[in-house]
Amino acid sequence: MSFCIAIDGPAASGKGTISRAVAARFGFEHLDTGLLYRAVGQLVLQGTEPLEAARALVAEDLRSDGLRTPEVAQAASRVAVIPEVRAVLLDFQRAFATRVGGAVLDGRDIGTVICPDAPVKLFVTASAEIRAERRFKELLAGGHDVTQEGVLDDVRARDARDAGRSDAPMVVATDAIVIDTSGMAIEDAVSAAVAAVDAARA
Ligand code: CDP
């Protein structure tokens, strides 16, 4: 039987960590849909046209080095405003969402566009300052040359682009449970997510 858990939210809100933990807890497969957009963004930075890059995407591109850089994140959010790019990536995400055995998808439009009928929808968020601090630490640990102010600017620019686009903007689905991780330990956020899934499965 298929069971889709939709987890949306802005950059560095904790949705990736929560998604991986929930998938492991319930034995579901996890798809980080941001990687699809990052992989297209990376191909565009290398000179490919956005639509051509989306059509040419193969699984190996999702394991490519450098997908987590700030430059690729910005490129991802620029290609993500293009409706034709989103349309090309839709079928793969929908097929993944209906896989037998259950699926957790995280992104920006999972609960609104990819799986509007998902039995569990979470919107994971936190203040821009806290998210920038988390992402700054991750990037520093990854050896990137960044400043906290620069990361905050990037996060805000991406939030504005993701929320402001006309096709599949980042919005809280009307039936989503909001988890604000600003003042929360990640274990507590995971527990809240697990409790929401348990309630939906009961
Ligand atoms: O990891 P982080 O939250 O910083 O970003 P991500 O989830 O890897 O997504 C990178 C970019 O891809 C986002 O800023 C969005 O522009 C785009 N994206 C999207 O439009 N729709 C999705 N379902 C997932 C990502």
Side-chain angles (χ1 to χ4, degrees):
M1 219 188 79
S2 67
F3 189 97
C4 173
I5 301 173
I7 305 187
D8 291 303
S13 57
K15 66 186 186 306
T17 306
I18 292 173
S19 299
R20 284 189 295 277
V22 167
R25 166 77 175 72
F26 293 98
F28 290 1
E29 288 295 324
H30 169 227
L31 177 64
D32 171 357
T33 66
L35 278 184
L36 300 171
Y37 293 90
R38 284 175 181 262
V40 174
Q42 188 180 51
L43 289 169
V44 169
L45 289 177
Q46 291 162 358
T48 310
E49 288 301 314
L51 192 50
E52 195 188 321
R55 287 194 181 121
L57 211 61
V58 290
E60 210 180 301
D61 295 328
L62 305 184
R63 294 187 286 270
S64 159
D65 284 343
L67 288 181
R68 296 285 171 200
T69 67
E71 295 74 27
V72 168
Q74 291 297 339
S77 86
R78 284 195 296 270
V79 299
V81 305
I82 306 170
E84 293 80 7
V85 166
R86 305 197 72 85
V88 169
L89 302 178
L90 188 82
D91 288 349
F92 174 75
Q93 295 175 81
R94 286 240 170 101
F96 192 97
T98 53
R99 68 181 297 287
V100 173
V104 179
L105 283 83
D106 78 83
R108 301 290 186 288
D109 62 341
I110 309 303
T112 50
V113 174
I114 305 296
C115 312
D117 299 326
V120 183
K121 296 182 187 178
L122 305 177
F123 191 89
V124 182
T125 189
S127 74
E129 289 74 14
I130 285 179
R131 291 185 288 116
E133 190 183 337
R134 289 177 188 158
R135 184 52 52 89
F136 171 64
K137 286 179 180 159
E138 279 170 22
L139 290 169
L140 264 195
H144 297 280
D145 183 18
V146 285
T147 63
Q148 195 160 327
E149 297 69 37
V151 174
L152 179 57
D153 288 347
D154 280 0
V155 159
R156 287 202 169 119
R158 210 139 57 87
D159 284 354
R161 209 181 286 127
D162 291 345
R165 67 185 174 223
S166 52
D167 188 24
M170 174 176 69
V171 286
V172 184
T174 49
D175 49 352
I177 297 168
V178 177
I179 301 178
D180 188 328
T181 64
S182 299
M184 233 184 198
I186 192 64
E187 303 78 44
D188 295 333
V190 169
S191 299
V194 167
V197 178
D198 277 335
R201 276 160 54 102

